[in-house]
Amino acid sequence: MSMVAYLLEVGCEELPASFVDSALEQWRTGIPASLAEAHLQAEQMQLFGTPRRLAVLLQGLPTQQPDRTLEVKGPPVQVAYQDGRLTPAGEKFAQKQGVDPGSLEIRQVGKGSFVFAVQRVRGRPTAAVLQELAPTWITSLSGERLMRWGYGDLKFPRPIRWLVSLWEDQVLPLLWPTSEGNPLPGLVAGRVSRGHRVLGSQQVVLERAESYVQQMQEAGVSPDPTAREAYIQAEVTKLARQVNGEAQIPAPLLREVVQLVEWPTAVLGRFEPEFLRLPVAVIETVMITHQRYFPVRDGRDPQKLLPYFITISNGDPRQAERIAAGNSRVVRARLADARFFYEEDRRIPLAQRVERLQAVTFAEGLGSMRDKVERIRQISRLIAAALKLDPQEQALVDRTAYLCKADLVTQMVYEFPELQGIMGAEYARQDGEPEAVAEGIEQHYWPLGAGEALPASLTGRVVGWADRLDTLVGMFRLGQIPTGSSDRFALRRAANSLVLIAWDAGWTFDFNSLLQRVVQDYAAGDEKTLKALQEFLLQRLQILLQEEKRIDYDLVRAVVGDPEALQEGEPAKSDLPRRALANLPLTLLRAEYLQHLRATGELADLYPTLNRCARLAAQGDLDSAVLDPAAAVDADLLQEAAERELYEACQRVYRLGVEPALQGDFTPLVEGLQAAAPAVDRFFEAVLVMDPDPRLRANRLNLLGVLRNQSRLLGDMGAVVMAGEAAPAKSH
């Protein structure tokens, strides 16, 4: 069978850079899946994207779908046939499947016989299939702020101005999946594309699908984002070296710039050295965030900037000098503004700005930012007490909390909001505040996003925790709980940060107690708010364990339990969730150790014994906190040698394994449980647990309950799913 190529290009007005990246990623997975569903596969798929176009080139496509045989299982033979003739049920099945009743086949399945409808489906021409599939590749793209235009019904980020659909060297018309036909009146797929707005021709007549890249390049368009990225990175690096510098190339900026140009030209610009007296963060913010420029650092001292920048032009390379001069004028004006704001801000010490926060609203119903600062100070004191900080550390934390939001009323942060915290730290240093305070002001916002750096300073950690706790408690008190994809106040990120910081800092204090105190102080002890917050935090903990730490879902469930159990108030089920929040680093260690036991095969050996104990112990009423056998079992009632042996095994686990497990060392506990396994087996062989005598029955259930409780220091074996078992339902 011969192989062919197909090209689809969607030409638009300038698309947002973020949408181009997103669209190509959606196509990267969606197009192969769409083809596979149609029983087709391309040998090679190339994706292209620029500000004005999205395109896909499929090479090595078969000319026709393969022929297929469809088999559908029908009713049992005794239902489909009676006295050798088809029953109404059999006829209805054949009619529904579109087959001749006489073609039904009888097959043995397991212990019964069933009728089967067998259809032989001839493959359709691939071109005909693509006529239907290609439009869905366009209409299925999702993004923010989609729009309609003209008389069309299609939603897209920007108006579509041309379509190319080539099957080898032939135009392949598109069949749109709408009842009205083409949702873009007047726009029909053809072979005419468009070149670069400045460097290329208005119309590019494509000869065939596989000539796309060459013809686009001849028209001043570099369609491959990967090639543009590599070129930009190399050119920026080369230009920086020409001035003995080292280009700063942030990955997000590089990705954005790649999708802002069709034919990139790196241009070196400069500004007056006097602007270098501004803080480096200010200059970089002006360049990177506002102008999409690449700053140039001193090659001999990377902490310093040089008075140069590199911009990526989408214009005529022959006009590089004019482009550089124009961009230099723009950046000079922006830096002059920044210098004015900076000098004005320095006239007033940071501490004198705190009271001005009274005029800044935090959130409706939660007062001003000045009110929030006081709450942060109070919560910071609670955290400091839980951490047992010394008086000097407490003073540094309190000063950081007092100043942490003061830069919000500076002119610099008003103009450049992304500098919050950074300018606060800069102004604090200039005011003579301790370095720990300056670091804490900046770092209390950390992490700034997923995968970003966590606060390294004690002040940043404590004040960051207090800030997020205040926000979470306040928003939950107002009922602003995230639902679905809606999270206006970034509460999921705040909760994630609490967990990540606690893990990183090794904070082992009881988070439940702290949370209860904060809710008591700022939500009048509202039990509904407390439980909703605990459930929310547990759900974030579960997600972080699974996605950040790669712990298997069932093992996460074994450690964290069911977050909804807190709402239901069932003591037997709520102990694990409470324990998970009580010591966040220990919860992480438990999950990681369970994953280790699974990897070594030890969990598979322990599971049958401990799971059987847990299931039977559930019929008793022993409190899950009881770990000492002597506190739960009457030794005088142990009649059988096997139960005395198990009692002694539980005592050894308690004596040697419990205390280390509470400190994060689970090896002695697991070794004790492994040693107890033979005793458990002999116990079940020789002892009637559910004895008619209620005293013996309760005593034996307590004995099993103690072993269950000891094993739950690691996790709930009832939640573990071994191979071949059904997984428990997931929480949302």
Side-chain angles (χ1 to χ4, degrees):
M1 183 182 293
S2 60
M3 296 294 185
V4 295
Y6 174 70
L7 171 72
L8 173 70
E9 184 189 52
V10 183
C12 310
E13 294 182 11
E14 275 70 8
L15 293 163
S18 59
F19 176 75
V20 178
D21 276 334
S22 170
L24 295 183
E25 280 306 307
Q26 292 176 62
W27 273 5
R28 195 178 309 282
T29 56
I31 290 178
S34 172
L35 290 171
E37 194 173 330
H39 309 284
L40 292 170
Q41 182 177 2
E43 292 179 350
Q44 183 179 6
M45 179 178 76
Q46 291 177 274
L47 296 174
F48 306 101
T50 76
R52 298 182 69 206
R53 72 199 73 232
L54 300 170
V56 57
L57 175 62
L58 300 171
Q59 294 172 288
L61 281 169
T63 56
Q64 186 166 320
Q65 291 175 313
D67 295 341
R68 295 175 293 126
T69 299
L70 297 180
E71 298 181 352
V72 181
K73 180 183 174 185
V77 171
Q78 59 268 31
V79 174
Y81 288 93
Q82 192 169 11
D83 299 328
R85 299 171 64 101
L86 269 178
T87 64
E91 291 178 350
K92 186 175 181 181
F93 170 69
Q95 182 181 6
K96 182 179 179 181
Q97 301 305 321
V99 300
D100 183 88
S103 69
L104 292 177
E105 298 181 8
I106 299 174
R107 298 182 186 176
Q108 188 74 19
V109 179
K111 296 183 179 180
S113 296
F114 296 82
V115 294
F116 278 77
V118 180
Q119 291 179 287
R120 283 150 185 93
V121 181
R122 183 170 178 77
R124 297 171 61 202
T126 301
V129 176
L130 289 175
Q131 283 184 286
E132 300 168 359
L133 287 185
T136 68
W137 299 342
I138 302 171
T139 58
S140 64
L141 288 175
S142 61
E144 297 180 357
R145 294 182 292 277
L146 303 181
M147 60 182 290
R148 291 192 183 95
W149 63 96
Y151 298 101
D153 295 323
L154 178 67
K155 289 183 178 181
F156 212 67
R158 294 292 184 273
I160 296 176
R161 295 309 186 198
W162 75 90
L163 290 170
V164 173
S165 176
L166 285 183
W167 175 255
E168 285 289 294
D169 59 351
Q170 298 296 312
V171 172
L172 186 67
L174 301 181
L175 301 178
W176 294 89
T178 65
S179 56
E180 295 81 14
N182 191 340
L184 303 169
L187 184 61
V188 178
R191 66 169 67 248
V192 179
S193 181
R194 299 184 189 178
H196 192 282
R197 285 194 186 276
V198 177
L199 304 175
S201 57
Q202 281 300 304
Q203 292 193 341
V204 180
V205 180
L206 296 172
E207 298 170 2
R208 56 190 305 108
E210 290 175 303
S211 67
Y212 178 70
V213 174
Q214 179 184 340
Q215 288 192 257
M216 283 294 100
Q217 289 177 335
E218 291 170 355
V221 175
S222 175
D224 185 352
T226 304
R228 291 202 306 278
E229 179 175 329
Y231 178 80
I232 290 172
Q233 193 154 15
E235 289 297 298
V236 168
T237 301
K238 184 172 73 174
L239 279 183
R241 287 175 179 165
Q242 289 179 8
V243 292
N244 299 316
E246 183 177 324
Q248 187 179 353
I249 308 178
L253 175 61
L254 179 60
R255 284 196 301 272
E256 182 180 10
V257 169
V258 164
Q259 303 299 7
L260 291 175
V261 295
E262 291 201 304
W263 191 263
T265 301
V267 176
L268 180 69
R270 61 168 294 132
F271 56 89
E272 287 73 10
E274 65 190 63
F275 288 117
L276 293 176
R277 289 196 288 269
L278 284 168
V280 170
V282 173
I283 300 174
E284 289 182 342
T285 298
V286 168
M287 289 188 182
I288 295 172
T289 305
H290 292 262
Q291 300 303 128
R292 276 72 172 177
Y293 296 163
F294 296 97
V296 180
R297 289 185 176 265
D298 192 326
R300 293 161 298 185
D301 185 358
Q303 299 302 313
K304 295 181 180 179
L305 288 175
L306 294 178
Y308 298 98
F309 64 87
I310 299 168
T311 184
I312 303 301
S313 167
N314 193 39
D316 189 344
R318 294 169 296 183
Q319 303 297 322
E321 289 188 11
R322 294 179 61 186
I323 293 169
N327 280 275
S328 293
R329 285 194 298 272
V330 172
V331 79
R332 188 180 299 120
R334 296 292 288 174
L335 290 174
D337 288 343
R339 181 173 60 188
F340 172 78
F341 300 140
Y342 181 64
E343 291 173 350
E344 287 296 303
D345 287 344
R346 291 179 62 185
R347 297 176 186 274
I348 302 175
L350 200 60
Q352 291 184 21
R353 297 181 179 274
V354 175
E355 293 306 318
R356 298 186 182 185
L357 292 170
Q358 197 66 49
V360 181
T361 301
F362 168 51
E364 187 176 350
L366 296 178
S368 67
M369 289 302 298
R370 181 68 182 88
D371 299 326
K372 181 175 177 62
V373 164
E374 281 308 305
R375 294 195 299 268
I376 292 174
R377 293 179 74 187
Q378 293 295 332
I379 298 171
S380 293
R381 289 168 188 153
L382 295 176
I383 299 171
L387 292 172
K388 298 180 173 58
L389 301 186
D390 62 40
Q392 183 179 1
E393 291 171 326
Q394 292 180 36
L396 290 171
V397 166
D398 187 64
R399 186 64 174 173
T400 303
Y402 181 69
L403 297 175
C404 69
K405 303 297 181 184
D407 66 348
L408 296 180
V409 288
T410 63
Q411 293 191 55
M412 186 70 82
V413 172
Y414 181 81
E415 184 68 20
F416 303 106
E418 51 274 273
L419 288 175
Q420 66 177 6
I422 296 172
M423 294 313 302
E426 176 71 23
Y427 294 146
R429 290 187 181 97
Q430 293 182 12
D431 292 344
E433 298 288 348
E435 181 61 23
V437 172
E439 289 178 347
I441 292 172
E442 179 176 359
Q443 293 181 16
H444 91 281
Y445 286 108
W446 295 5
L448 299 176
E452 298 278 346
L454 295 169
S457 65
L458 175 65
T459 49
R461 288 168 172 171
V462 173
V463 175
W465 247 62
D467 185 11
R468 292 173 176 90
L469 263 182
D470 171 70
T471 299
L472 285 164
V473 172
M475 292 302 171
F476 270 66
R477 179 170 65 83
L478 296 178
Q480 298 287 346
I481 301 174
T483 56
S485 61
S486 174
D487 188 6
R488 289 176 53 205
F489 302 100
L491 300 184
R492 293 188 181 98
R493 191 172 70 188
N496 287 355
S497 297
L498 292 180
V499 176
L500 292 171
I501 291 171
W503 283 349
D504 185 60
W507 285 352
T508 59
F509 61 77
D510 189 342
F511 186 20
N512 276 316
S513 298
L514 176 66
L515 194 58
Q516 289 170 1
R517 177 65 187 274
V518 175
V519 171
Q520 177 65 43
D521 290 349
Y522 301 114
D526 181 22
E527 192 68 19
K528 183 178 178 182
T529 296
L530 175 62
K531 288 185 175 180
L533 254 176
Q534 288 174 322
E535 182 179 342
F536 179 72
L537 288 162
L538 285 162
Q539 289 171 354
R540 304 318 301 169
L541 176 59
Q542 285 183 325
I543 289 171
L544 287 172
L545 286 170
Q546 287 177 242
E547 297 181 358
E548 294 279 332
K549 301 301 180 179
R550 303 298 180 190
I551 308 296
D552 294 342
Y553 171 77
D554 61 316
L555 302 186
V556 172
R557 187 77 172 214
V559 169
V560 176
D562 181 5
E564 295 181 358
L566 290 172
Q567 296 279 16
E568 297 164 0
E570 297 183 45
K573 293 182 179 179
S574 62
D575 68 310
L576 278 177
R578 292 184 194 283
R579 189 185 302 166
L581 283 181
N583 188 328
L584 293 171
L586 186 62
T587 299
L588 173 60
L589 289 174
R590 290 164 58 207
E592 289 178 331
Y593 200 86
L594 274 177
Q595 191 71 49
H596 163 73
L597 291 179
R598 170 163 282 170
T600 62
E602 294 172 273
L603 184 60
D605 295 334
L606 274 174
Y607 172 78
T609 299
L610 297 179
N611 188 43
R612 188 176 182 187
C613 287
R615 287 205 315 269
L616 202 50
Q619 299 187 42
D621 56 4
L622 183 67
D623 191 292
S624 60
V626 178
L627 301 169
D628 183 358
V633 178
D634 186 345
D636 294 335
L637 292 179
L638 299 175
Q639 298 181 345
E640 304 289 342
E643 55 186 330
R644 288 193 293 273
E645 181 188 8
L646 181 56
Y647 178 73
E648 291 169 0
C650 290
Q651 285 185 315
R652 283 193 298 273
V653 173
Y654 177 72
R655 200 167 54 247
L656 302 176
V658 167
E659 189 57 37
L662 294 174
Q663 303 303 317
D665 180 5
F666 301 104
T667 300
L669 175 68
V670 170
E671 289 175 348
L673 293 173
Q674 289 170 333
V680 174
D681 293 338
R682 286 189 285 273
F683 175 84
F684 282 123
E685 290 172 2
V687 178
L688 177 63
V689 178
M690 305 306 288
D691 195 279
D693 184 335
R695 294 187 307 150
L696 294 179
R697 181 169 65 247
N699 205 50
R700 290 166 180 170
L701 287 172
N702 282 353
L703 180 57
L704 294 174
V706 167
L707 190 63
R708 173 204 62 193
N709 293 350
Q710 292 171 343
S711 70
R712 279 167 73 91
L713 291 176
L714 191 54
D716 175 15
M717 291 300 139
V720 174
V721 179
M722 303 307 291
E725 294 185 343
K730 291 187 179 182
S731 61
H732 12 173

